């Protein structure tokens, strides 16, 4: 059994529908949107489809943009370091060159371990939401 088949079975058993996309390099991407209140985070799980152990990456995007929070670069980087130490757990909070904040997790999985991949998705959704809430609180503190 391939990793994608195993992962699809886990998703089906948990009644979670994600869009599956075949990538040109033999990889597979599962795409979704996590919603909580007004916050929405697109996320993806990407891996090479294999019958053996393979690397994967989970990414939550759209957590925010440092510029939108009205923070200077020092405050954004300080907050990222603090959140990585205190809150983000398995994931890593990153900022790209245009200021977008996202979290990412990289690991390895076999077709027999895909439930763990699902569990990491659940954890990632909560972490993305908590990071956004924390950054909004920081923005409110700076606006006062």
């Amino acid at each position: 059994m391939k990793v994608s088949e195993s992962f699809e079975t886990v998703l089906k058993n948990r009644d979670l529908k994600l869009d599956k996309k075949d990538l040109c390099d033999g990889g597979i991407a599962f795409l979704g949107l996590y919603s909580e209140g007004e916050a929405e985070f697109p996320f993806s799980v990407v891996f090479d489809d294999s019958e053996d152990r393979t690397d994967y990456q989970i990414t939550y995007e759209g957590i925010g943009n440092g510029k939108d929070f009205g923070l200077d670069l020092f405050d954004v980087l300080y907050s990222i370091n603090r959140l990585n130490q205190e809150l983000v757990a398995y994931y890593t909070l990153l900022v790209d060159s245009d200021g977008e904040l996202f979290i990412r997790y990289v690991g390895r999985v076999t077709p027999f371990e895909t439930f763990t991949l699902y569990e990491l998705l659940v954890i990632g959704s909560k972490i993305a939401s908590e990071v956004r809430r924390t950054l909004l609180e920081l923005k409110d503190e700076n606006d006062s």
Side-chain angles (χ1 to χ4, degrees), residues 67-130:
K67 298 170 190 171
D68 296 340
F69 291 114
L71 305 172
D72 65 24
L73 181 60
F74 175 80
D75 288 334
V76 170
L77 295 176
Y78 176 80
S79 297
I80 287 172
N81 284 338
R82 185 176 59 83
L83 290 169
N84 275 326
Q85 292 171 3
E86 299 172 3
L87 178 68
V88 182
Y90 305 107
Y91 283 79
T92 303
L93 176 61
L94 302 161
V95 61
D96 68 12
S97 59
D98 69 354
E100 182 187 355
L101 299 164
F102 62 98
I103 61 172
R104 178 178 67 185
Y105 182 83
V106 178
R108 287 199 170 144
V109 68
T110 70
F112 306 104
E113 301 167 328
T114 55
F115 185 75
T116 301
L117 192 54
Y118 167 79
E119 289 176 321
L120 286 165
L121 273 177
V122 172
I123 291 169
S125 299
K126 298 299 182 193
I127 290 172
S129 182
E130 187 66 19

